[in-house]
Amino acid sequence: QVQLVESGGGLVQPGGSLRLSCAASGFTKDYYVIGWFRQAPGKEREGVSCISTSDVKTYYADSVKGRFTISRDNAKNTVYLQMNSLKPEDTAVYYCAADGRLMTVRTMCDSRFQKDYWGQGTQVTVSS
């Protein structure tokens, strides 16, 4: 059974940094796409950044370009989201999602489409 476990959330001041981790287990395929999504109170879930495991393709939402970096360690089955220059509007619950279907990272980050697997989420709060 596929499991995704997020960690690394917390409270940080504006301008600060956090690194989120998504530890994956139970995959039976070699290829899958993993993405980070977030949902703030009263707002819809949005795709933040996505990465594929078979190549180095990545996708970032415009709101996080230049501030967030997604990376993976396939040996550890872990995907990271390094978040720098955090802003109060980055406050949200951050979720990790994975899908074994063939798709572009841009499609993976489109929150309109169903994803195969979701983690439980980790809270990120940016406040002074």
Side-chain angles (χ1 to χ4, degrees), residues 6 12 15-16 37 51 53 75 83 90 93 97 104 108 118-119:
E6 303 99 331
V12 64
F37 297 76
I51 189 169
T53 56
M83 305 186 296
D90 294 317
V93 178
T104 66
M108 178 65 185
W118 288 93

Side-chain angles (χ1 to χ4, degrees), residues 3 9 11 19 23 25 28-29 37 41 45 56 59 68 75 78 89 93 98 101 104 106 108 113 124:
Q3 285 191 322
L11 173 64
R19 189 177 81 155
S25 62
T28 58
K29 297 181 179 180
F37 297 76
R45 188 172 296 185
V56 296
Y59 171 86
F68 291 10
T78 300
E89 51 264 43
V93 178
R101 293 170 289 180
T104 66
R106 185 183 183 94
M108 178 65 185
F113 300 114
V124 172

Side-chain angles (χ1 to χ4, degrees), residues 19-22 34 36 49-52 56-58 60 68-74 77-82:
R19 189 177 81 155
L20 304 183
S21 299
C22 174
I34 285 189
W36 285 98
S49 183
C50 294
I51 189 169
S52 64
V56 296
K57 291 182 180 177
T58 58
Y60 295 93
F68 291 10
T69 302
I70 193 169
S71 62
R72 69 180 192 272
D73 184 335
N74 286 344
N77 286 332
T78 300
V79 172
Y80 304 98
L81 185 68
Q82 178 67 43

Side-chain angles (χ1 to χ4, degrees), residues 97-116:
D99 203 299
R101 293 170 289 180
L102 288 177
M103 65 177 72
T104 66
V105 287
R106 185 183 183 94
T107 298
M108 178 65 185
C109 265
D110 191 328
S111 59
R112 295 173 297 174
F113 300 114
Q114 295 279 357
K115 309 297 183 285
D116 284 346

